[in-house]
Amino acid sequence: MQLRKVTAASAAVLALALTATACGSDKEDGGSGDGKKITIGIKIDQPGIGLKTPDGKYVGFDVDVATYVAKELGYKAEDIVFKETKSADRETAIDRGDVKFIAASYSINDERLQKVDFAGPYLLAHQDILVRADDKTIKSPEDLNNKKLCSVAGSTSAQNVKEKLAPKAQLQTYGGYSECMTGLENKAVDALTTDDSILAGFASQKNFQGKFKLAGFKMTNENYGIGLKKGDADLKKKINDALTKMVSDGSWDKAVEDNFGPANYKNEPAPKIGNIVK
């Protein structure tokens, strides 16, 4: 009886070992080059930037950029594992090695540069305002005084407007940008503010096309970069080379048009690598 117990236990251990070995043979390597997969951090809830569709596909400008870069690093589309990285988790995900790099509307700033390195920038965005297409009352940021400005929980964009440009703006806090878009459409709020690229992505959705317009205020400069582990100079150079090629062969312009075109987004030209606009 005792012998049977030992044999059963041994069989269980052997089964676990075989399972682990099988899983390890197809593991994600984070892009280290010694496995089959590369894990890339993106947003999955920002139309035009990074969105996971109901059928499980990933679409958006950042997705196109990440896919192009991964291809230049030697990975096929099927080798890419996209992983959602929320804004507050980006530096931690890079530091832990959860992802090889992040392309997720990730603005380069001095605080983040203390923790991670950035390739790029690959897009120059600006904080802007989205209003209804027929609204002619908001012609400058100051016109937001006494207007209802949608504020997303956890975002500082609306607060920046109130503190610096329109102190009498009435902030209305919503759970996310989708709720703000619905509120704007229903006239519960008068405007929504965040990066113009994000606003253009939402306005480009089929159910919103033609209903909204970007004001074009350019209140801040947001240099989107690809975040990677600090000190990885080799990977940074490879990504920068890939971004340079993406611009030169026309793929960058195509990605802009594909993802932002329906909103008539007047994007800045592709920034030069290393050129951080203050």
Side-chain angles (χ1 to χ4, degrees):
M1 189 70 178
Q2 184 66 27
L3 180 59
R4 284 197 297 270
K5 287 184 179 179
V6 172
T7 302
S10 299
V13 170
L14 178 60
L16 286 172
L18 289 172
T19 301
T21 301
C23 292
S25 65
D26 193 33
K27 68 180 181 178
E28 298 168 18
D29 69 3
S32 63
D34 55 4
K36 295 182 178 180
K37 304 289 185 181
I38 181 170
T39 305
I40 302 172
I42 59 166
K43 292 290 183 67
I44 66 169
D45 57 356
Q46 290 183 345
I49 298 290
L51 181 71
K52 185 176 182 180
T53 63
D55 60 357
K57 295 180 181 179
Y58 297 91
V59 296
F61 182 72
D62 282 353
V63 175
D64 289 347
V65 170
T67 300
Y68 189 100
V69 169
K71 180 190 70 174
E72 291 301 306
L73 293 177
Y75 295 91
K76 299 176 182 177
E78 57 267 28
D79 297 330
I80 300 172
V81 177
F82 286 117
K83 183 180 181 67
E84 179 185 15
T85 48
K86 297 182 182 296
S87 296
D89 300 331
R90 289 178 294 205
E91 288 84 21
T92 302
I94 291 172
D95 185 60
R96 281 198 310 240
D98 295 343
V99 296
K100 189 62 176 179
F101 63 81
I102 291 178
S105 55
Y106 201 3
S107 297
I108 303 170
N109 61 36
D110 292 338
E111 180 181 354
R112 290 168 180 163
L113 282 168
Q114 299 299 315
K115 302 175 182 177
V116 300
D117 278 346
F118 283 96
Y122 63 88
L123 182 72
L124 175 58
H126 307 281
Q127 185 181 342
D128 200 359
I129 300 290
L130 191 72
V131 297
R132 288 181 291 276
D134 60 356
D135 190 332
K136 299 179 181 179
T137 65
I138 302 176
K139 299 178 180 179
S140 70
E142 291 75 19
D143 291 333
L144 290 167
N145 282 309
N146 300 313
K147 297 284 189 179
K148 294 178 180 178
L149 179 62
C150 195
S151 177
V152 174
S155 172
T156 60
S157 297
Q159 192 63 43
N160 288 341
V161 171
K162 184 174 177 65
E163 291 177 356
K164 301 175 182 179
L165 299 169
K168 293 183 180 179
Q170 301 171 23
L171 301 189
Q172 309 289 312
T173 303
Y174 284 61
Y177 294 114
S178 294
E179 292 90 333
C180 280
M181 293 294 292
T182 301
L184 186 57
E185 184 178 24
N186 296 336
K187 300 186 177 181
V189 296
D190 300 302
L192 164 61
T193 183
T194 186
D195 294 357
D196 53 7
S197 57
I198 296 174
L199 294 174
F202 275 99
S204 292
Q205 294 181 97
K206 289 184 178 179
N207 56 317
F208 289 141
Q209 287 179 19
K211 295 181 179 180
F212 306 102
K213 63 183 178 182
L214 289 159
F217 292 158
K218 298 185 178 181
M219 293 179 283
T220 64
N221 294 322
E222 307 294 337
N223 298 273
Y224 288 3
I226 292 182
L228 62 147
K229 189 177 285 290
K230 198 163 186 63
D232 195 341
D234 181 60
L235 179 61
K236 180 177 178 178
K237 182 182 184 304
K238 289 179 179 177
I239 294 176
N240 279 337
D241 288 345
L243 294 173
T244 300
K245 182 177 178 181
M246 185 177 187
V247 172
S248 66
D249 69 11
S251 298
W252 188 91
D253 287 321
K254 183 178 185 303
V256 169
E257 179 60 30
D258 288 347
N259 293 291
F260 304 126
N264 295 316
Y265 175 46
K266 295 178 175 60
N267 63 283
E268 298 280 0
K272 293 182 179 179
I273 298 300
N275 183 24
I276 308 299
V277 179
K278 299 293 187 180

